[in-house]
DNA sequence: AGCTTTCAACTTTTT
DNA sequence: GTTGAAAGCT
């Protein structure tokens, strides 16, 4: 609860929040500092827009609130529900940029030649297409292309434009691969994540009737995390709201940390120019952190050049000073951090006996720059028997082999799930390549049917070779057959038999060993597969369980019924923020979250700010790293520890590590009440103890 | 030379 | 936990 909900929210809004909510008649930019109650402003503003009155009186369907993550969208919908009721909240268009794109394309994308059931490829799908299109087996190379192509697309370039402006040989190759990739996507009737922004933009730009339709429908658009928008998202918003469109953009230039993904602060700079009647409202009161923490945050961020002036303050009191910590090396740092948490918790247990909310482990978080830094902390926490979770990281369901099998199960469930079809039909390889799939995709697009449906069509025969057609039919028949059996098979034992038979039929084990250079890795993958099968089978029930002396048989379910719950579980895995465990997280993944007690770890030059080799790092990069530090500091509510390494492992020996410049920038020695030299403090404590002892001795003497 | 094994290094990743 | 590189072995 403490790790993702808002801090103690005030009963009423402060003047700045109120101004943001009441401003209805022109575009509005709300500069929401960390912990300043921006979600509250957005939801309150939605409620205000629905109220009858000047500039308002909108219907729920005329309001769109756009976020970056599904999680943020879900949270906003929850908050809106609580405020305006489930019925009205249900009609609001609250969604991510990408799902808005899906909506636009499904409704009106046909004029771009896209069938309404187009597939959306995930990042793995894209990598494998690029590997194929670029004629390489090197996944790293493919990911490099993917990266480059994505940046181009986010800046509105197609392959031809990319080629004409390509600087290096690498970029030229990437642009050529991009061309093949574009052709492949068109043939598959598939889009990638970037297309979910780029294609709707094209749609609105080139088709006036569609543009007018959406501009008429959406009377007010609210955008969350505005500082994270990229060039195409900016253009999309512009077209969505129209020339005199009214919108509310909520963001914080100081928390812009996704520049490397194409997000650009230009979008904030351009806003006052593109909309001269823009009203800028800063939210500076912070409801999260103590003054000591905010002072450090303000000092750090003050070093950056400012787009808009803004200084956070809070009335939560001075609080504990920010604690500087040191570790001899990574392991030592981890041990000290864990000891620090244990001591803190011990104090809390004394101060708040019987208040588990204040002493629970989910009040604690360790934040760091890069994923690999989690490892020593995991070890130290495990050693101390403290429960933890590493946020981010690859989940079981993200593993390629599990995704393969899930694609099959998804296809059984819904034959029209084209991404699942594409994955299943090509994994393991069964002689159906992109030529065949291209033809099939074209055919399906023409007749507006799913790939699976198209496969059985009589008229498909005309456009495919006999061999290809047979391959497709074999596959289709097998899926139908398997689906039939999966519906009939109840209970874990039978399910396991069926699923193992399936793996044998599609030769999945062979596929793993064929495609993996390293046999050990293949074996590990196969183990994952078997674990997955066991997991599915167990959920099919029918087990005899000993329940308090009684033997009970759990309810039997079919494989199909279980398959239906799988996609729910993958998304459910993200919703376990309430577990009572310490959080380990990257700074990036921590944005938007908060904890009472935070330690920033490994705050050294080279890590934060990150630099590859000494020297080469641009001022812009430093500024983004500084914002990252700022984000980290402002995650803490009550106590903050900032830990730096003295030495760090390099090869076999240790080398000197330099504390981050950001530590000095916090100016911890300035302000914050009278402070005492620690040696002086120790001397004073000794004197007090001695005086007490003497007094006790005197009293005892007097008693005699 | 070609193979295996060990060792160190590792940005950040909303969709 | 994964991957590439370098050292070591046949």
């Amino acid at each position: 609860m403490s790790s993702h909900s808002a801090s103690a929210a005030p009963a009423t809004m402060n003047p700045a929040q109120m101004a943001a909510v009441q401003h209805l008649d022109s575009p509005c930019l709300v500069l929401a500092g960390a912990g300043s109650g921006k979600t509250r402003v957005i939801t309150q503003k939605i409620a205000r827009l629905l109220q009858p009155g000047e500039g308002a009186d909108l219907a729920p369907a005329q309001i769109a609130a756009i976020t970056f993550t599904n999680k943020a969208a879900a949270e906003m919908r929850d908050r809106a529900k609580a405020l305006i009721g489930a019925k009205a909240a249900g009609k609001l268009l609250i969604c991510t940029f990408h799902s808005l794109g899906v909506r636009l394309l499904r409704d009106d994308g046909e004029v771009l030649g896209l069938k309404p059931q187009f597939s959306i490829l995930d990042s793995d799908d894209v990598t494998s297409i690029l590997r194929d299109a670029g004629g390489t087996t090197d996944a790293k190379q493919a990911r490099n292309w993917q990266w480059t192509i994505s940046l181009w697309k986010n800046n509105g370039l197609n392959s031809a434009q990319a080629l004409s402006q390509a600087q290096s040989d690498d970029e030229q190759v990437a642009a050529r691969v991009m061309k093949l990739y574009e052709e492949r996507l068109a043939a598959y009737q598939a889009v990638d994540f970037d297309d979910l922004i780029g294609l709707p933009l094209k749609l609105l730009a080139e088709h006036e009737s569609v543009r007018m339709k959406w501009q008429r429908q959406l009377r007010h658009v609210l955008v969350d995390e505005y500082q994270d928008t990229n060039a195409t998202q900016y253009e999309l918003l512009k077209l969505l709201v129209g020339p005199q469109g009214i919108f509310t953009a909520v963001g914080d230039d100081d928390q812009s940390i996704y520049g490397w993904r194409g997000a650009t602060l230009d979008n904030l700079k351009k806003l006052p120019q593109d909309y001269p009647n823009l009203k800028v409202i800063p939210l500076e009161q912070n409801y999260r952190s103590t003054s000591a923490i905010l002072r450090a945050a303000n000092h750090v961020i003050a070093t950056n050049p400012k787009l808009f002036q803004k200084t956070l303050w809070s009335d939560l009191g001075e609080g504990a000073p920010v604690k500087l910590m040191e570790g001899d090396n990574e392991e030592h740092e981890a041990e000290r951090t864990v000891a620090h948490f244990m001591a803190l918790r011990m104090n809390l247990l004394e101060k708040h006996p019987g208040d588990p909310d204040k002493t629970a482990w989910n009040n604690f978080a360790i934040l760091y720059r890069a994923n690999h830094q989690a490892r020593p902390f995991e070890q130290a926490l495990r050693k101390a028997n403290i429960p933890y979770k590493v946020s981010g990281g690859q989940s079981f369901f993200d593993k390629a082999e599990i995704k393969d099998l899930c694609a099959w199960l998804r296809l059984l469930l819904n034959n029209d799930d084209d991404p699942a079809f594409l994955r299943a039909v090509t994994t393991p390889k069964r002689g159906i390549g992109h030529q065949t799939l291209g033809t099939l995709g074209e055919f399906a697009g023409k007749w507006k049917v799913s790939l699976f449906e198209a496969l059985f069509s009589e008229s498909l025969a005309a456009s495919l070779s006999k061999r290809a057609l047979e391959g497709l039919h074999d596959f289709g028949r097998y899926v139908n057959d398997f689906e039939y059996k999966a519906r009939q098979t109840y209970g874990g034992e039978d399910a396991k038999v069926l699923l193992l038979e399936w793996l044998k039929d599609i030769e999945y084990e062979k596929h793993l060993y064929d495609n993996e250079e390293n046999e050990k890795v293949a074996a590990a993958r196969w183990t994952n597969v078997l674990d997955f099968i066991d997991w599915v089978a167990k959920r099919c029930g029918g087990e005899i369980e000993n329940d308090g002396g009684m033997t009970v048989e759990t309810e039997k379910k079919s494989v199909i019924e279980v398959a239906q719950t799988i996609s729910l579980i993958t998304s459910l895995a993200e919703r376990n923020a309430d577990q009572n465990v310490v959080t380990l997280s990257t700074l990036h993944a921590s944005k938007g979250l908060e904890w009472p007690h935070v330690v920033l770890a490994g705050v050294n030059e080279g890590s934060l700010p990150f630099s590859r080799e000494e020297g080469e790092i641009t001022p812009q990069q430093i500024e983004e790293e500084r914002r990252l530090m700022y984000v980290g500091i402002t995650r803490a509510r009550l106590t903050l520890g900032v830990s730096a390494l003295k030495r760090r492992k390099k090869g076999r020996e240790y080398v000197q590590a330099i504390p981050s410049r950001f530590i000095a920038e916090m100016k911890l020695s300035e302000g914050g009440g009278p402070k005492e030299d620690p040696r002086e403090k120790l001397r004073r404590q000794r004197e007090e103890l001695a005086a007490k002892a003497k007094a006790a001795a005197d009293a005892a003497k007097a008693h005699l």
Side-chain angles (χ1 to χ4, degrees), chain A residues 293-353:
Chain A
I293 291 167
L294 285 184
R295 194 164 52 242
N298 282 332
H299 278 145
V300 168
I301 205 64
T303 321
N304 270 358
K306 302 290 285 179
L307 260 182
F308 303 93
Q309 202 52 51
K310 168 162 75 39
T311 307
L312 289 185
W313 60 277
S314 90
D315 59 8
L316 298 177
E318 171 63 20
V322 174
K323 184 183 167 79
L324 272 189
M325 301 164 67
E326 260 184 348
D328 283 339
N329 55 52
E330 286 88 343
E331 286 74 28
H332 184 231
E333 178 185 47
E335 279 166 24
R336 280 206 167 174
T337 302
V338 170
H340 166 64
F341 277 176
M342 292 203 290
L344 261 178
R345 186 157 173 274
M346 213 59 97
N347 276 336
L348 291 166
L349 283 168
E350 265 174 44
K351 241 193 266 173
H352 311 277

Side-chain angles (χ1 to χ4, degrees), chain A residues 676-685:
Chain A
E676 200 174 16
D677 186 320
R679 284 165 302 183
E680 189 61 26
K681 189 177 172 189
L682 202 66
R683 199 183 55 77
R684 184 173 51 75
Q685 281 172 344

Side-chain angles (χ1 to χ4, degrees), chain A residues 411-430:
Chain A
L411 186 61
L412 298 190
L413 220 57
N414 169 18
N415 293 339
D416 291 340
D417 186 337
D418 284 358
F421 177 92
L422 288 174
R423 191 164 186 135
V425 79
T426 52
T427 331
K429 299 250 181 303
R430 51 172 50 72

Side-chain angles (χ1 to χ4, degrees), chain A residues 322-626:
Chain A
V322 174
K323 184 183 167 79
L324 272 189
M325 301 164 67
E326 260 184 348
D328 283 339
N329 55 52
E330 286 88 343
E331 286 74 28
H332 184 231
E333 178 185 47
E335 279 166 24
R336 280 206 167 174
T337 302
V338 170
H340 166 64
F341 277 176
M342 292 203 290
L344 261 178
R345 186 157 173 274
M346 213 59 97
N347 276 336
L348 291 166
L349 283 168
E350 265 174 44
K351 241 193 266 173
H352 311 277
D355 187 352
D357 274 1
K358 288 204 169 64
T359 55
W361 282 122
N362 62 359
N363 288 314
F364 298 83
I366 301 165
L367 309 179
Y368 37 79
R369 178 61 227 266
N371 281 313
H372 70 263
Q373 291 175 277
R375 236 183 131 184
F377 291 98
E378 287 188 67
Q379 281 166 355
L381 287 165
R382 217 165 343 177
K383 204 168 142 194
N385 261 323
I386 297 172
Y388 67 89
K389 66 166 179 204
V390 184
S391 106
Q394 207 191 25
S395 88
F396 187 68
F397 287 93
D398 280 337
K399 293 178 192 296
E401 60 275 20
I402 304 305
K403 278 173 116 175
D404 287 342
L405 303 185
C406 283
W408 274 85
L409 296 180
R410 266 162 59 205
L411 186 61
L412 298 190
L413 220 57
N414 169 18
N415 293 339
D416 291 340
D417 186 337
D418 284 358
F421 177 92
L422 288 174
R423 191 164 186 135
V425 79
T426 52
T427 331
K429 299 250 181 303
R430 51 172 50 72
I432 297 170
H434 62 263
Q435 299 284 7
T436 307
L437 291 175
T439 312
L440 183 67
E442 219 171 278
F443 186 87
K446 198 166 123 199
W447 296 100
K448 302 190 181 18
V449 294
S450 70
L451 294 170
F452 192 81
E453 225 175 314
L455 168 167
F456 288 114
S457 165
E458 299 270 340
S459 36
L460 181 67
S463 30
L464 276 174
S465 76
K466 201 173 163 221
R467 225 186 89 233
L469 196 66
E470 263 174 25
L472 284 174
H473 283 170
D474 283 348
F475 175 74
R477 271 195 298 271
Y478 184 77
V479 170
N480 279 336
D481 186 43
F482 183 26
E483 182 185 332
Y484 177 79
K485 283 189 203 153
R487 284 190 195 285
Q488 308 297 318
T489 309
Y490 284 83
E493 276 176 48
D494 292 349
K496 193 165 176 180
V497 173
L498 173 75
L499 294 168
L500 289 175
E501 193 189 318
W502 160 50
L503 291 178
K504 216 164 151 193
D505 286 344
I506 65 174
E507 297 186 306
Y508 196 76
E509 189 175 11
K510 184 170 178 294
H511 160 80
L512 286 179
Y513 281 88
D514 286 351
N515 283 277
E516 196 60 65
E517 302 274 314
N518 185 340
E519 203 164 296
K520 268 190 194 156
V521 176
R525 290 190 190 282
W526 180 241
T527 308
N528 287 336
V529 167
L530 295 177
D531 285 348
F532 177 70
I533 298 300
D534 281 340
W535 181 84
V536 174
K538 195 168 177 211
R539 292 183 159 257
C540 289
E543 284 193 338
I544 309 294
E545 280 185 358
N546 195 334
D547 184 11
M550 303 249 292
T551 48
V552 184
E553 190 180 325
T554 56
E555 190 200 348
K556 286 186 178 178
K557 289 182 185 162
S558 77
V559 174
I560 282 283
E561 284 171 301
V562 171
Q564 274 169 341
T565 65
I566 288 179
S567 56
L568 280 177
I569 291 191
T570 44
S571 52
L572 206 93
E574 315 250 343
R575 290 203 171 211
N576 54 8
D578 290 341
Q579 286 173 49
N580 186 13
V581 300
V582 173
T583 299
L584 301 181
S585 170
T586 62
L587 288 163
H588 282 91
S590 76
K591 195 174 72 156
L593 306 178
E594 60 177 37
W595 296 268
H597 309 286
V598 171
V599 166
L600 305 183
V603 186
N604 288 86
E605 288 292 310
S607 296
L608 181 67
F610 179 85
S611 62
R612 223 155 182 197
E613 292 296 325
E614 296 304 312
E616 50 176 314
I617 174 164
T618 66
Q620 283 87 353
Q621 282 173 317
I622 296 271
E623 283 166 27
E624 183 152 320
E625 298 288 315
R626 187 173 281 115

Side-chain angles (χ1 to χ4, degrees), chain A residues 110 239 375 516 648:
Chain A
E110 286 197 79
L239 290 182
R375 236 183 131 184
E516 196 60 65
R648 113 190 107 88

Side-chain angles (χ1 to χ4, degrees), chain A residues 10-19 21-22 37 40-41 44-45 287:
Chain A
T12 56
M13 282 187 286
N14 66 41
Q17 291 175 327
M18 193 65 93
V21 169
Q22 294 295 348
R40 184 178 166 79
V41 165
Q44 290 283 347
K45 186 148 189 177
Y287 297 98

